[in-house]
Structures are given as C-alpha cells and as structure tokens.
C-alpha cells in the first residue's frame, strides 16, 4: 500500500473516532462542571475522587492498559487465520475477564475500609463522615471494574472489525447518565437519609452498564455475537494472559505511583485532590479526542499490516500517526497554554467552585500541559511493542519513568506544594515516550528523520506563533467581569483566531498541502 493510502486509512478512522470521542469529552466536561457546581472542590468531592480511583487502579490493567494492547494484536492474528476461532476467543476472554474482575470487585467491597486507609493519610481519615462516605462510594462503584473491562474488550473487537464510531461514542452515554444522576439524585438521597454524594457512585455504575451493553448489538450484527468454541485457557488466551502478566508489573508500578501521589496530595491542603482531578480532566480533553483516537486507529491498522507481513505498510501507518499526533496536539497545547486560566474559569467557576479553586486548578493544568505532546506519543508507541511481540519493553520503561516521578514528587511536594505532582507526571511521560521512541527506531530500523524532520519543526514553530498570538488576543479582549455569554463568545472567537493563526502559519512555512490533504479526507 502507498504512503498516501496509509494516510487516508489512518485519517479516516482517526477522524471517525475523534468525532465520537469529542462528543464524549464535551459531555465529560459538562459532567465535571455539574460535579463542581453541586459539590465544589471540597472534602466531599475529594471523597468521590479518591473512591473512584480504587476501581480505576485496576481499570488501567483490564480496560485501558495491558489487556487492550495484548488483545487487539492477538485477536487480529487469530481472525486472519480462522474467523470462527476468533469469535470463540472473544467470548472466552469475555467470560474469563468477567470471572477475574468480578472476583476483584468482591474483594474491593469486602476490604473497602482497609483500602481507603492505605491510600490516604491521617488528615483525610480524621473526618469520620468523610471516611464513611468514601467507603460507601468504593463499595457502590466496585462492580464498575467488570462493566468497563467488558466495554473495553468489546471496543477492541469492534475496532479490529473496522467499526469505530459507536465504541468511541459509548463513553458519551456514560457521561449522560452521570450528569442525570448528579442533578436528579442528591436531594432524593438526602431525603432518604443517605449522603448526596452517593449519587456520583450510582451514576458510575449505571453509566458503565450502558457503555458496555450498547456495543453488544453491533457485535451480533457483525456475526460476532456470543458463540463458541469456548475455551478459557487456549493457546491464544495464554498469549494474552502472558502479556497481561507482563503488563501487570507496569500497572502495579503505576498504581504505587497513584497511591503515593494521592497521599502526597491529601497531605498538602484540602481540595488538592480535586484541583488536580479537574485540571487533569481539561488536560485529557485533547488527549482523549486526538491522541486516543489516533492511537486506536494506528494500533488496528499497524497490527493488521504487521501480522500480514507488510512491514513497510505498517511503518507508513506509524509515520502518519506520529505526524498527525504532532499536527493536532501542538496547536491544542498552544491554545490551552494561552487560555488556561480562562478555560478553568469558564468551565468550572460557578456554584461551590470559587476563584481560589480556579487559580489552584490553573496552576496544576499549566504543569500537566508540559507533557501533553509526550502523552500523545506514549499512547501511540506503547501498543506497538505488543504487536512486535516485545511486551516487556514498555513495561520496563514505564517502571523506570514512574520511579523517577516518585522520587521527584516525594522530594519536592513538601517544599513546593501540590502542583509538583502535575509537573512530575509530565516529566515522567517525557522520559517514557523518549525512551520508547529510541527503541522503536532500533526495532523498526527507522531513520532519525522519522522523528526529527522539517515538517515537525514547522509544526512546532507554528505552535509557538499560535501561542503568543492567542495569548495577546485573549489578554486584550477577555474580561472576567463580563457576563457568561459575552465571555463565552469572546473565548470562542479567541480560539477560532488561534486555529486560523496556526493554519496560516503552517501554510506560510510550507505545509499548506498537509492541511489540504486533511480537509480533502473530511
């Protein structure tokens, strides 16, 4: 396949996923707005954030981490050999995944108090009511691990079958359910003698179920509905389980990092956990829309080409994804840097979320943004090693980067405060993606020009121009004392000018053909 053909496939599938993911991320922001307005950046919100991290710690393994990266290449290879065996593998893994995650969920429910005390400190636990509501939230949300893991499995299978939109849109339904619960349940729960914040836990469970079940009809339509041969421990499932086992080491290191940063955050000031969480939500907005979509598309197409022996085609897919990541993430980074405070103010500052919360969240967001391009590259690079049958490589790199982050945060957080945790995350991601890139250059026999070329330099230069221009325009025209609609209109206008500045800069610097190619692909 030609370079242009590879570009077309990656662009189209990435665009489809990005449109669906955009809807989800917009609704995710609305969900965070609702939580901020109803509960604020308070001890109550900290309770939910900490409780939600418990199933999320294992979600990274079974839903978004090693399992997804291990399943897609293996499923692709089996499907190319024998479609009937691929159908059996899918539902055998679904059954196995259900048994494992259900067992873990049961353990979380039983040992919820001990788990919460192990990831927080005495300051957090000194409030009996807050500790009790956190434990209750953990127990309510524990089965979310089962639902979201099956949802991720079904998404991986559908993506391999070249179905991208609905699986990427499914998280939007999760957010809709969460928003409904935030507004509809708190008063009722309070009337019934329960903590209003439990509405968030109920929303997580109901939303997770909807996100999972919506994908099943598509699998049935594609002929991949529940069917055998069922074999929980087949040669192919052993490969997946072996890779998950390797990935568990990296996930364990990640969770240790989360526990340590959570303890460090709770030891600084009340609200720090929530400020970091709200900032990370804004940071993940471009990552979720752009990087995850590009990475998901690249994994499917790269694995398909590589498993068929078309290595040059696979490299073309990777090259397209690499360049596309920079092309989209650099302007997103420039715009967010330029209007970070304005973004936090418009999205969150209402109700119980005040000016202090805006300033603190903005501090965290600025330091998260330092690692935005590296985060995008990490999403693309890490799964490639699983396709190359080298799953231990990204795990070792992640462990090293996490150790660097832990040392950095433990030493500096007591001195400088909670924002160090955001900077440490960025620095560890820079280390991670850089080492991965160096090793991919070796294993795929890539030239240095693959990573460092005139196109990338032009993109970065255009990003810098966009940042300075957008910052100047925002400082000139954005007034915090104006009405909400006036501020929103100015903010959107500033964003459009920034995007226009980026496109014009790229065109002047000689990359106009790249923009035209993307527009032709719609």
């Amino acid at each position: 396949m030609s370079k242009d053909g590879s570009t077309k496939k990656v662009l189209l599938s990435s665009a489809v996923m990005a449109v669906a993911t955009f809807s989800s991320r917009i609704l995710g922001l609305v969900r965070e707005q609702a939580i901020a307005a109803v509960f604020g950046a308070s001890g109550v919100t900290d309770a939910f954030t900490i409780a939600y991290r418990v199933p999320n710690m294992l979600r990274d393994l079974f839903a978004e981490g090693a399992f997804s990266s291990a399943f897609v290449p293996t499923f692709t290879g089996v499907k190319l050999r024998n479609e009937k065996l691929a159908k059996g593998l899918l539902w055998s893994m679904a059954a196995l995944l259900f048994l494992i995650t259900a067992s873990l969920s049961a353990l979380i429910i039983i040992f919820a108090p001990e788990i919460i005390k192990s990831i927080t400190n005495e300051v957090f636990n000194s409030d009996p009511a807050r500790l009790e509501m956190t434990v209750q939230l953990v127990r309510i949300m524990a089965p979310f691990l089962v639902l979201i893991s099956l949802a991720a499995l079904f998404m991986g299978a559908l993506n391999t079958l070249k179905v991208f939109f609905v699986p990427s849109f499914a998280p939007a339904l999760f957010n809709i359910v969460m928003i409904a619960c935030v507004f509809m349940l708190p008063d009722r729960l309070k009337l019934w003698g329960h903590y209003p914040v439990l509405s968030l836990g109920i929303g997580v469970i109901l939303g997770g179920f909807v996100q999972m079940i919506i994908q099943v009809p598509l699998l049935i339509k594609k002929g991949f509905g529940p069917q055998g041969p069922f074999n929980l421990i087949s040669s192919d499932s052993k490969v997946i389980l072996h890779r998950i086992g390797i990935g568990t080491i990296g996930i364990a290191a990640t969770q240790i990092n989360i526990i340590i940063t959570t303890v460090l955050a709770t030891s600084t000031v009340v609200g720090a956990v929530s400020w970091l969480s709200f900032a990370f939500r804004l940071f993940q907005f471009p990552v979720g829309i752009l990087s995850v979509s590009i990475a998901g598309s690249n994994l499917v197409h790269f694995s398909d080409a590589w498993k068929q022996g078309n290595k040059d085609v696979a490299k073309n897919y990777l090259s397209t994804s690499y360049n596309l990541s920079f092309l989209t993430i650099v302007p997103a980074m420039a715009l967010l840097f330029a209007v970070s405070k304005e973004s936090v103010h418009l999205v969150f500052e209402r109700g119980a979320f005040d000016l202090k919360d805006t300033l603190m969240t903005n501090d965290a967001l600025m330091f998260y943004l330092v690692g935005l391009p590296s985060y995008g590259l990490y999403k693309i690079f890490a799964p490639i090693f699983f396709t190359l049958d080298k799953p231990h490589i990204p795990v070792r790199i992640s462990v090293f980067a996490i150790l660097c982050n832990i040392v950095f945060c433990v030493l500096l957080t007591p001195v400088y405060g909670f924002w160090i945790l955001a900077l440490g995350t960025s620095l560890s991601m820079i280390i991670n993606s850089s080492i991965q890139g160096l090793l991919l250059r070796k294993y795929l026999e890539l030239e240095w020009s693959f990573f460092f070329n005139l196109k990338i330099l032009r993109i970065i230069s255009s990003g810098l121009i966009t940042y300075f221009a957008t910052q100047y325009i925002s400082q000139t025209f954005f007034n915090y004392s104006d009405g909400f609609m006036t501020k929103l209109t100015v903010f959107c206008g500033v964003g459009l000018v920034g995007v226009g500045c980026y496109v014009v800069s790229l065109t002047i610097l000689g990359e106009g053909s790249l923009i035209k190619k993307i527009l032709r692909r719609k």
Side-chain angles (χ1 to χ4, degrees):
M1 180 180 293
S2 66
K3 173 75 171 180
D4 191 58
S6 301
T7 301
K8 179 179 179 180
K9 280 193 172 184
V10 172
L11 283 175
L12 288 177
S13 52
S14 297
V16 168
M17 295 176 74
V19 169
T21 307
F22 178 74
S23 303
S24 172
R25 294 295 171 171
I26 287 291
L27 288 167
L29 279 179
V30 174
R31 181 193 76 200
E32 296 299 313
Q33 286 178 309
I35 294 173
V38 174
F39 298 105
S42 62
V44 172
T45 317
D46 283 357
F48 168 72
T49 303
I50 291 170
Y52 189 45
R53 283 182 180 176
V54 175
N56 264 357
M57 287 178 186
L58 296 169
R59 170 186 177 174
D60 289 341
L61 173 59
F62 293 105
E64 296 178 348
F67 183 86
S68 180
S69 298
F71 175 76
V72 170
T74 306
F75 182 69
T76 299
V78 174
K79 180 177 173 290
L80 291 173
R81 297 197 314 266
N82 188 312
E83 190 168 289
K84 184 178 181 180
L85 289 178
K87 296 175 183 178
L89 175 63
L90 169 62
W91 290 100
S92 295
M93 290 307 304
L96 185 60
L97 192 60
F98 176 83
L99 291 173
I100 295 173
T101 54
S103 300
L104 290 171
S105 296
L107 291 174
I108 290 173
I109 292 172
I110 295 170
F111 297 105
E114 291 78 9
I115 293 172
I116 290 302
K117 290 178 181 178
S118 70
I119 64 173
T120 53
N121 64 358
E122 293 80 4
V123 176
F124 184 88
N125 296 328
S126 62
D127 186 338
R130 183 169 57 188
L131 179 60
E132 181 184 0
M133 72 176 69
T134 307
V135 170
Q136 288 186 22
L137 281 166
V138 169
R139 285 173 168 160
I140 291 171
M141 293 187 290
F144 176 66
L145 175 62
V146 179
L147 300 171
I148 201 64
S149 298
L150 291 175
L153 171 66
F154 297 155
M155 179 179 183
L158 287 171
N159 286 170
T160 303
L161 298 172
K162 306 301 188 291
V163 177
F164 295 101
F165 183 79
V166 172
S168 299
F169 185 75
L173 302 178
F174 169 87
N175 289 322
I176 290 173
V177 173
M178 279 285 293
I179 293 166
C181 289
V182 168
F183 288 117
M184 295 173 62
L185 294 183
D187 290 339
R188 289 176 172 82
L189 288 171
K190 187 175 182 179
L191 184 65
W192 296 335
H194 300 289
Y195 295 113
V197 75
L198 298 184
S199 60
L200 300 180
I202 295 171
V204 167
I205 287 298
L206 295 179
F209 176 77
V210 172
Q211 183 176 342
M212 181 271 295
I213 203 68
I214 194 69
Q215 301 183 71
V216 175
L218 274 177
L219 286 170
I220 295 173
K221 182 179 179 181
K222 284 288 185 178
F224 277 74
Q227 56 190 288
F230 293 104
N231 188 355
L232 294 182
I233 309 297
S234 64
S235 59
D236 294 308
S237 64
K238 285 180 180 179
V239 171
I240 296 173
L241 291 173
H242 174 68
R243 291 181 172 182
I244 292 175
I246 296 173
T248 302
I249 301 171
I251 296 299
T254 301
Q255 301 321 317
I256 291 171
N257 179 57
I258 291 175
I259 291 171
I260 291 174
T261 55
T262 300
V263 171
L264 289 171
T266 56
S267 67
T268 55
V269 61
V270 173
V273 175
S274 297
W275 296 328
L276 289 164
S277 177
F278 290 133
F280 198 66
R281 169 59 58 183
L282 286 176
F283 165 79
Q284 281 190 314
F285 193 74
V287 172
I289 295 173
L290 304 171
S291 299
V292 171
S293 300
I294 295 169
S297 171
N298 178 74
L299 176 60
V300 171
H301 294 301
F302 184 93
S303 297
D304 197 30
W306 191 268
K307 293 298 182 182
Q308 294 185 60
N310 300 324
K311 296 185 177 182
D312 288 337
V313 174
K315 292 179 186 180
N316 284 341
Y317 283 131
L318 180 58
S319 175
T320 298
S321 300
Y322 178 82
N323 290 325
L324 186 59
S325 178
F326 268 98
L327 182 70
T328 53
I329 287 295
V330 166
M333 179 182 181
L335 290 172
L336 270 176
F337 251 123
V339 294
S340 60
K341 183 180 175 182
E342 294 88 337
S343 300
V344 176
H345 170 76
L346 284 174
V347 173
F348 295 120
E349 192 175 319
R350 61 183 53 80
F353 195 99
D354 57 22
L355 175 61
K356 176 185 175 183
D357 297 324
T358 293
L359 296 175
M360 296 298 101
T361 303
N362 177 64
D363 287 345
L365 176 59
M366 294 287 281
F367 288 104
Y368 275 132
L369 288 174
V370 172
L372 184 57
S374 295
Y375 206 99
L377 294 180
Y378 164 79
K379 290 288 185 181
I380 294 172
F381 288 164
I384 295 296
F385 290 96
F386 286 80
T387 303
L388 299 177
D389 296 321
K390 298 181 182 295
H392 59 285
I393 297 295
V395 172
R396 292 174 181 174
I397 297 171
S398 293
V399 170
F400 173 73
I402 287 167
L403 288 175
C404 293
N405 181 41
I406 290 173
V407 172
F408 179 82
C409 292
V410 168
L411 291 177
L412 297 183
T413 300
V415 180
Y416 295 103
F418 74 96
W419 59 264
I420 283 292
L421 301 171
L423 180 59
T425 298
S426 293
L427 294 179
S428 68
M429 198 54 60
I430 292 171
I431 293 171
N432 199 326
S433 61
S434 298
I435 298 175
Q436 286 185 350
L438 288 172
L439 291 178
L440 282 178
R441 177 179 177 271
K442 172 185 175 182
Y443 295 135
L444 297 179
E445 299 179 350
L446 302 173
E447 298 293 334
W448 281 112
S449 58
F450 180 95
F451 300 99
F452 307 103
N453 52 62
L454 191 57
K455 184 188 300 293
I456 298 300
L457 179 60
R458 289 167 176 167
I459 290 173
I460 294 174
S461 299
S462 298
L464 288 171
I465 294 171
T466 301
Y467 164 73
F468 287 113
T470 305
Q471 185 185 54
Y472 174 78
I473 296 170
S474 178
Q475 290 177 350
T476 303
F477 295 101
F478 191 90
N479 191 336
Y480 289 90
S481 62
D482 287 340
F484 176 78
M485 291 308 299
T486 300
K487 289 185 290 188
L488 182 61
T489 301
V490 172
F491 182 83
C492 292
V494 170
L496 289 174
V497 171
V499 172
C501 180
Y502 180 69
V503 172
V504 171
S505 299
L506 270 181
T507 303
I508 292 174
L509 292 174
E511 293 297 333
S513 60
L514 183 61
I515 300 296
K516 292 179 181 177
K517 182 184 292 186
I518 292 176
L519 293 176
R520 284 200 303 269
R521 303 305 181 197
K522 300 180 183 179

